[in-house]
Amino acid sequence: MASLIQGFEEINLTKPVGKTVMTITASAVKFNKATAAELGYPAYVKILINEKTKQVAVTPTTAKATNALKFSKSEDKQTSSVSIKDAVLVAALLEHFTLAEAPEGEIAYQSVKGAVYPEDKTVIFNIEDAVAGTMKRRGRKKAAEAETEAAE
């Protein structure tokens, strides 16, 4: 006798993580929370570059690995994007990204979506797919900026 539920498939209740995005500015490299989630919220990563294919890869590593960068908190504590302000890393990546001049009070950036390779626990970003833009500065305003805005 055939089972009543023969031919049915279970519905996957794992919600999609979302698009992985890397954003580079003159002072930092940021990865959205989806990137941290896809990599399994690793405490440390290695960031690799392929000069020939013009790609940047991010892959988990250990704290003792050469060139390891502090990355994510645990899943329950990582509430927002991951920002890496390592000057050597930013300078190395900026050789491949061109930041436009930004108007006063704004920051120029390049943003690129990544491709996830779960079997390799790696996210790869194609530099040539980067999109340029500017965003308002966040955080505390300098005293001079605050006075100028108050006067306006």
Side-chain angles (χ1 to χ4, degrees):
M1 185 172 166
S3 168
L4 181 64
I5 59 173
Q6 185 176 344
F8 284 82
E9 288 184 32
E10 224 175 274
I11 295 173
N12 186 351
L13 298 178
T14 320
K15 66 179 181 184
V17 175
K19 291 185 176 17
T20 55
V21 179
M22 174 178 73
T23 304
I24 183 161
T25 66
S27 61
V29 181
K30 291 182 184 166
F31 297 93
N32 67 343
K33 188 176 175 185
T35 305
E38 288 289 4
L39 294 171
Y41 297 96
Y44 292 88
V45 297
K46 276 192 178 188
I47 298 179
L48 310 141
I49 193 149
N50 186 327
E51 301 276 344
K52 288 181 182 164
T53 61
K54 303 243 185 272
Q55 294 176 310
V56 175
V58 182
T59 189
T61 193
T62 63
K64 293 182 179 173
T66 309
N67 298 318
L69 290 161
K70 197 156 180 48
F71 192 69
S72 179
K73 298 174 186 156
S74 61
E75 181 176 358
D76 55 335
K77 293 198 169 112
Q78 188 65 47
T79 57
S80 61
S81 61
V82 175
S83 187
I84 301 174
K85 295 185 177 182
D86 183 282
V88 176
L89 172 68
V90 172
L93 288 174
L94 281 174
E95 288 180 21
H96 302 281
F97 292 90
T98 306
L99 298 179
E101 285 294 316
E104 185 70 35
E106 293 190 11
I107 300 171
Y109 69 86
Q110 288 260 335
S111 183
V112 61
K113 290 181 179 146
V116 180
Y117 297 89
E119 64 283 354
D120 297 312
K121 281 220 177 260
T122 300
V123 178
I124 296 179
F125 301 91
N126 287 316
I127 295 169
E128 292 173 344
D129 295 340
V131 177
T134 61
M135 59 184 152
K136 297 265 185 225
R137 288 187 187 273
R138 290 194 185 143
R140 293 186 176 159
K141 291 183 181 176
K142 293 179 186 162
E145 282 182 38
E147 287 174 20
T148 305
E149 284 188 8
E152 291 174 353

